[in-house]
Amino acid sequence: MNPEFVAPGKGPWELETTHFSRPVSRFAGETYADGFVKGFSSGTARYGLLLDHLKPAISHDFIYMQPAPFMAPEGAMKPPPAPVLWLLTRLHPKMRARIAQSDRAFAEKQWRKDLETWDTVDKPAAIEKHLALQMIDVTALSDDALVDHLAECRDHAIAMVGQHHKYTATAIVPIGDFLAHTVAWTGAHPGEVCRLLQGSSPISNGFAAEELGKVGEALAANPQAAERLRSGPPAEAIATLSEDPDVGSAVRAYVEAVQHRSVGYDVGDVNAGEMPELLAGAMLAAAAGPTASTLDDAAVAALRAKVPAEHQAQFDELLAEARFTNRIRDERGVFSDGWATGIARRAVLEVGRRLAERGLLRTPEHAPDLTYDELVSLLRDGTGPSADEAAAHHEWRTTKTVADAPPFLNAMPPEPPPVDLLPAKARRAANATNIMLMTLFATSEEANSETVLHGLSVNDGTYEGTARLVTGSAEFGKIQQGDVLVTRNTSPYFNVVLPLLGAIVTDRGGQLSHAAIVAREYGIPGVVGTRDATTTIPDGARVRVDGATGEVHLLGTS
C-alpha cells in the first residue's frame, strides 16, 4: 500500500519523470536540489529567460518540480492576469533589464561564449577533479579519511549537478530558436527539423567513443583476442586482455575511461565498470566497425527549399548555430555529474562494505539509501538507522516506479502565458523555449493496441530483434548485441550500451529527448513517446521497430 503523498509546499508540483523513473536514493536526494537550482538559474539569467528555474523537492523519495518564473513570489505559480503581465514586462525595471539581456544573448550569440567557457575552463577543470578523486584507493583509507573523502565526493557531486544545469539554457535556446523559426517558415513537423541536427553530437555515439574505437581496431586486427573476449567470462577475459601485448593498452584505456561513469543520475545506479559483460559486448561490437550517422545534405536541401527565399540565409545561420551547440546537450552531463556520481558511488559503497562487515547493513548496496550524515554516524560510532530500516528504503527505491506516485500534487502547473502578451524582445526566447520543451517531452497521442504501439519516429529504417526490457541501470547487463532497448526513458549515461543496440523504444520523451538524439547519432531506428512500451512488450519478445511510421509491432513472445 502506497503512502499518502503530501505536496512539499504551496503551488502546483509535477512529478519528475524525464530523468528519474524511480524514487531517488537518500544520498542522491541530498546532493541534487542545491546544485540544480544554482546552475539552472545562472543559465536562465545569461539568456534573460522569464523562467528563472525549476524548484525541486522530494516526497517519499520521488522528485517533484515546480516552475519558478522570474520575480514570482514563492509558490505563486499562477501567471498574473494578462493586463498585469503586460504592464509588468514593460514597466518594471528588473523585468525590463531581464528582457534586454535576452535580446543581447541573441545578438551576441551567448551560446558561443558558453561553449568557449565549457571547452577551456569548466570541462578541463571537471576532468582534472574527477581524475584526482578516482585515483584515491578508497579501500586503503582509514574510517576518518574515508569520511573526509565521502564529503569531498558529495560536494563535488553537488558542484557537478550545478555545472550540468549551468548549461541547460545553452542547450535549449539556439536549438529551440532554429526549431521555432523553421517550423514557422515551412510548416514542417518538429521531428523533421530535428533530423537536421544529425551528426553534430559525437559524444552521443557513446562513452569514450575514441577509446572504444581504438579497442575495436585492435580486436579486429587480432581475432584470437576477440575470441577470448567472446568466449570467456567477461571480467576474467577483460583482465586477461588488459595484459595482452597487442590489445592491452587499448583495452585498459577504454576500461579506465568508463569504469567510474554512472549509467544513471543516482549513486544507487550502477557504474559501467560494474557490468563487465556490457563492456565486453561494447568492445566486440566496436570490432565489427564504427556505426555513426552524418548530416543528410539532401534532407537539408529539401527543407531549405520550403523556406521563403528572403529567410533562407537566416535558416542557414540558425542551422549552423544549432549544430554548433548541439553537443553540449550530452557533454554537460557526461563530463559533469555523470562522472561525479559514479565516483561518489564508489565512496558510498566502500562505506557500505565496512558497515556490512560490522553487521550494520545487510549489504553494501543499501548504503546509497542512507543520507550522508547517517552513513558518517554509523561509520564513526555505529549509531543511526538499523539495517532493517536501510533495507526497507532500498526495497522502496528499487521496486517502485513513477507509476506508483501521483503525477501532480496540489494542482497541475498552468500553461505558460501567451507569447504575444510579451514585449517583442522577449518573444524570441519564449518561442524557442516553448517549442524546445514541447519537442523534449511531447509523446504520441495515437491509440495503442496489444500488438501495435504508436510513437514518434526519430530515425528512418526498420529493425527486427529481441526486446530487452530495462527498468533500471542494474538490468543493463542482460543486453545482448542486436537487442532492442525498451525502457521508460534514457539518460546521456545510457550511451555506454549504444554499441550493442539494434533499435530504441521508449515510453517517454519527444523528438529531442535523449533517446531520440542517440538513435539519430548512432544511426539506428528509434521510436519514442509510445507511453505504453514497458507495460506492453515483455522482456525477450520479438518486435519490429519501424522508424518510418513510428510503429512498434509485437511479433511474438518467448
Short mmCIF file of all heavy atoms in Angstrom, two decimals, residues 210-227 229 241 244-252 283 286-288:
data_model
loop_
_atom_site.label_atom_id
_atom_site.label_comp_id
_atom_site.label_asym_id
_atom_site.label_seq_id
_atom_site.Cartn_x
_atom_site.Cartn_y
_atom_site.Cartn_z
N GLU A 210 36.26 7.56 -28.65
CA GLU A 210 37.59 7.44 -29.24
C GLU A 210 38.31 6.22 -28.70
O GLU A 210 38.91 5.43 -29.46
CB GLU A 210 38.40 8.70 -28.94
CG GLU A 210 39.79 8.70 -29.54
CD GLU A 210 40.56 9.98 -29.28
OE1 GLU A 210 39.95 10.96 -28.80
OE2 GLU A 210 41.78 10.01 -29.56
N GLU A 211 38.27 6.03 -27.37
CA GLU A 211 38.93 4.87 -26.77
C GLU A 211 38.29 3.56 -27.24
O GLU A 211 38.99 2.57 -27.51
CB GLU A 211 38.87 4.95 -25.24
CG GLU A 211 39.73 6.02 -24.62
CD GLU A 211 39.04 7.39 -24.55
OE1 GLU A 211 37.96 7.55 -25.16
OE2 GLU A 211 39.58 8.28 -23.87
N LEU A 212 36.95 3.56 -27.34
CA LEU A 212 36.27 2.36 -27.80
C LEU A 212 36.64 2.04 -29.25
O LEU A 212 36.80 0.88 -29.63
CB LEU A 212 34.76 2.53 -27.66
CG LEU A 212 33.90 1.33 -28.06
CD1 LEU A 212 34.27 0.10 -27.24
CD2 LEU A 212 32.41 1.65 -27.88
N GLY A 213 36.75 3.08 -30.07
CA GLY A 213 37.14 2.86 -31.46
C GLY A 213 38.51 2.20 -31.58
O GLY A 213 38.72 1.32 -32.42
N LYS A 214 39.45 2.60 -30.71
CA LYS A 214 40.79 2.02 -30.76
C LYS A 214 40.76 0.56 -30.29
O LYS A 214 41.49 -0.28 -30.82
CB LYS A 214 41.73 2.84 -29.89
CG LYS A 214 42.04 4.21 -30.49
CD LYS A 214 42.99 5.02 -29.62
CE LYS A 214 43.29 6.38 -30.27
NZ LYS A 214 44.18 7.20 -29.42
N VAL A 215 39.90 0.25 -29.31
CA VAL A 215 39.73 -1.15 -28.92
C VAL A 215 39.19 -1.97 -30.09
O VAL A 215 39.67 -3.07 -30.38
CB VAL A 215 38.79 -1.29 -27.71
CG1 VAL A 215 38.47 -2.76 -27.45
CG2 VAL A 215 39.40 -0.68 -26.48
N GLY A 216 38.21 -1.41 -30.77
CA GLY A 216 37.63 -2.11 -31.91
C GLY A 216 38.67 -2.40 -32.98
O GLY A 216 38.72 -3.51 -33.54
N GLU A 217 39.51 -1.42 -33.27
CA GLU A 217 40.55 -1.62 -34.27
C GLU A 217 41.53 -2.71 -33.83
O GLU A 217 41.95 -3.55 -34.63
CB GLU A 217 41.30 -0.30 -34.50
CG GLU A 217 40.45 0.78 -35.18
CD GLU A 217 41.17 2.12 -35.22
OE1 GLU A 217 42.33 2.18 -34.74
OE2 GLU A 217 40.58 3.10 -35.72
N ALA A 218 41.90 -2.68 -32.54
CA ALA A 218 42.86 -3.67 -32.04
C ALA A 218 42.27 -5.08 -32.09
O ALA A 218 42.96 -6.04 -32.47
CB ALA A 218 43.27 -3.31 -30.61
N LEU A 219 41.01 -5.22 -31.71
CA LEU A 219 40.38 -6.54 -31.73
C LEU A 219 40.14 -7.03 -33.15
O LEU A 219 40.26 -8.24 -33.43
CB LEU A 219 39.06 -6.50 -30.95
CG LEU A 219 39.16 -6.28 -29.44
CD1 LEU A 219 37.77 -6.18 -28.83
CD2 LEU A 219 39.95 -7.41 -28.78
N ALA A 220 39.80 -6.12 -34.05
CA ALA A 220 39.59 -6.52 -35.44
C ALA A 220 40.88 -7.06 -36.06
O ALA A 220 40.85 -7.95 -36.91
CB ALA A 220 39.07 -5.33 -36.25
N ALA A 221 42.00 -6.53 -35.62
CA ALA A 221 43.30 -6.97 -36.14
C ALA A 221 43.82 -8.21 -35.42
O ALA A 221 44.84 -8.78 -35.82
CB ALA A 221 44.32 -5.84 -36.02
N ASN A 222 43.13 -8.63 -34.37
CA ASN A 222 43.58 -9.77 -33.57
C ASN A 222 42.38 -10.66 -33.24
O ASN A 222 41.83 -10.61 -32.15
CB ASN A 222 44.24 -9.26 -32.29
CG ASN A 222 45.00 -10.36 -31.55
OD1 ASN A 222 44.58 -11.51 -31.52
ND2 ASN A 222 46.11 -9.99 -30.94
N PRO A 223 41.96 -11.49 -34.20
CA PRO A 223 40.77 -12.34 -33.99
C PRO A 223 40.88 -13.24 -32.77
O PRO A 223 39.87 -13.55 -32.14
CB PRO A 223 40.69 -13.15 -35.29
CG PRO A 223 41.44 -12.33 -36.29
CD PRO A 223 42.53 -11.66 -35.53
N GLN A 224 42.10 -13.69 -32.44
CA GLN A 224 42.24 -14.57 -31.27
C GLN A 224 41.87 -13.83 -29.98
O GLN A 224 41.21 -14.39 -29.10
CB GLN A 224 43.69 -15.08 -31.17
CG GLN A 224 44.11 -16.01 -32.30
CD GLN A 224 44.54 -15.26 -33.55
OE1 GLN A 224 44.63 -14.01 -33.54
NE2 GLN A 224 44.83 -16.00 -34.61
N ALA A 225 42.28 -12.57 -29.88
CA ALA A 225 41.92 -11.78 -28.70
C ALA A 225 40.42 -11.56 -28.64
O ALA A 225 39.81 -11.65 -27.57
CB ALA A 225 42.66 -10.44 -28.73
N ALA A 226 39.83 -11.28 -29.79
CA ALA A 226 38.38 -11.09 -29.82
C ALA A 226 37.64 -12.36 -29.40
O ALA A 226 36.63 -12.29 -28.68
CB ALA A 226 37.94 -10.67 -31.23
N GLU A 227 38.15 -13.51 -29.81
CA GLU A 227 37.51 -14.77 -29.43
C GLU A 227 37.62 -15.02 -27.93
O GLU A 227 36.68 -15.53 -27.30
CB GLU A 227 38.12 -15.92 -30.21
CG GLU A 227 37.49 -17.27 -29.94
CD GLU A 227 35.98 -17.29 -30.19
OE1 GLU A 227 35.50 -16.55 -31.08
OE2 GLU A 227 35.28 -18.04 -29.47
N LEU A 229 37.66 -12.76 -25.68
CA LEU A 229 36.69 -11.86 -25.06
C LEU A 229 35.28 -12.40 -25.25
O LEU A 229 34.44 -12.28 -24.36
CB LEU A 229 36.80 -10.47 -25.70
CG LEU A 229 35.98 -9.35 -25.08
CD1 LEU A 229 36.35 -9.14 -23.62
CD2 LEU A 229 36.17 -8.05 -25.86
N LEU A 241 42.94 -9.69 -21.24
CA LEU A 241 43.27 -8.89 -22.42
C LEU A 241 43.97 -7.59 -22.03
O LEU A 241 44.72 -7.02 -22.83
CB LEU A 241 42.01 -8.59 -23.22
CG LEU A 241 41.38 -9.77 -23.96
CD1 LEU A 241 40.16 -9.33 -24.73
CD2 LEU A 241 42.39 -10.42 -24.90
N ASP A 244 47.49 -8.20 -22.45
CA ASP A 244 47.92 -8.69 -23.75
C ASP A 244 48.82 -7.65 -24.42
O ASP A 244 48.49 -6.46 -24.46
CB ASP A 244 46.70 -8.96 -24.63
CG ASP A 244 47.06 -9.60 -25.95
OD1 ASP A 244 47.50 -8.85 -26.86
OD2 ASP A 244 46.92 -10.82 -26.09
N PRO A 245 49.98 -8.07 -24.96
CA PRO A 245 50.91 -7.09 -25.57
C PRO A 245 50.35 -6.39 -26.80
O PRO A 245 50.79 -5.28 -27.12
CB PRO A 245 52.13 -7.94 -25.92
CG PRO A 245 51.63 -9.35 -25.99
CD PRO A 245 50.53 -9.44 -24.98
N ASP A 246 49.38 -7.00 -27.48
CA ASP A 246 48.85 -6.40 -28.70
C ASP A 246 47.64 -5.50 -28.46
O ASP A 246 47.52 -4.44 -29.06
CB ASP A 246 48.47 -7.51 -29.70
CG ASP A 246 49.67 -8.31 -30.16
OD1 ASP A 246 50.74 -7.69 -30.35
OD2 ASP A 246 49.54 -9.53 -30.33
N VAL A 247 46.72 -5.93 -27.60
CA VAL A 247 45.47 -5.17 -27.41
C VAL A 247 45.35 -4.56 -26.02
O VAL A 247 44.42 -3.80 -25.75
CB VAL A 247 44.24 -6.07 -27.69
CG1 VAL A 247 44.29 -6.65 -29.08
CG2 VAL A 247 44.11 -7.17 -26.63
N GLY A 248 46.30 -4.89 -25.12
CA GLY A 248 46.16 -4.49 -23.72
C GLY A 248 46.05 -3.00 -23.49
O GLY A 248 45.21 -2.54 -22.70
N SER A 249 46.88 -2.21 -24.17
CA SER A 249 46.86 -0.77 -23.91
C SER A 249 45.53 -0.16 -24.32
O SER A 249 44.99 0.72 -23.62
CB SER A 249 48.00 -0.09 -24.66
OG SER A 249 47.89 -0.28 -26.06
N ALA A 250 44.97 -0.63 -25.42
CA ALA A 250 43.66 -0.10 -25.87
C ALA A 250 42.56 -0.52 -24.92
O ALA A 250 41.68 0.29 -24.58
CB ALA A 250 43.36 -0.59 -27.28
N VAL A 251 42.57 -1.77 -24.48
CA VAL A 251 41.55 -2.25 -23.54
C VAL A 251 41.63 -1.49 -22.23
O VAL A 251 40.61 -1.05 -21.69
CB VAL A 251 41.70 -3.77 -23.31
CG1 VAL A 251 40.78 -4.23 -22.17
CG2 VAL A 251 41.38 -4.54 -24.58
N ARG A 252 42.84 -1.31 -21.70
CA ARG A 252 42.99 -0.59 -20.43
C ARG A 252 42.50 0.84 -20.55
O ARG A 252 41.82 1.36 -19.65
CB ARG A 252 44.46 -0.61 -19.99
CG ARG A 252 44.95 -1.94 -19.49
CD ARG A 252 46.28 -1.78 -18.75
NE ARG A 252 47.30 -1.15 -19.57
CZ ARG A 252 48.11 -1.80 -20.41
NH1 ARG A 252 48.00 -3.11 -20.54
NH2 ARG A 252 49.04 -1.15 -21.09
N MET A 283 32.96 -3.68 -26.65
CA MET A 283 34.23 -3.82 -27.35
C MET A 283 34.11 -4.73 -28.56
O MET A 283 34.68 -4.46 -29.62
CB MET A 283 35.30 -4.33 -26.37
CG MET A 283 35.74 -3.28 -25.35
SD MET A 283 37.16 -3.79 -24.34
CE MET A 283 36.32 -4.72 -23.06
N ALA A 286 32.38 -2.87 -31.30
CA ALA A 286 33.28 -1.92 -31.94
C ALA A 286 34.21 -2.61 -32.93
O ALA A 286 34.62 -2.03 -33.94
CB ALA A 286 34.09 -1.18 -30.89
N ALA A 287 34.54 -3.87 -32.65
CA ALA A 287 35.42 -4.62 -33.55
C ALA A 287 34.76 -4.86 -34.90
O ALA A 287 35.44 -5.05 -35.92
CB ALA A 287 35.82 -5.94 -32.92
N ALA A 288 33.42 -4.85 -34.92
CA ALA A 288 32.70 -5.05 -36.18
C ALA A 288 32.71 -3.81 -37.06
O ALA A 288 32.30 -3.86 -38.22
CB ALA A 288 31.26 -5.46 -35.89
#
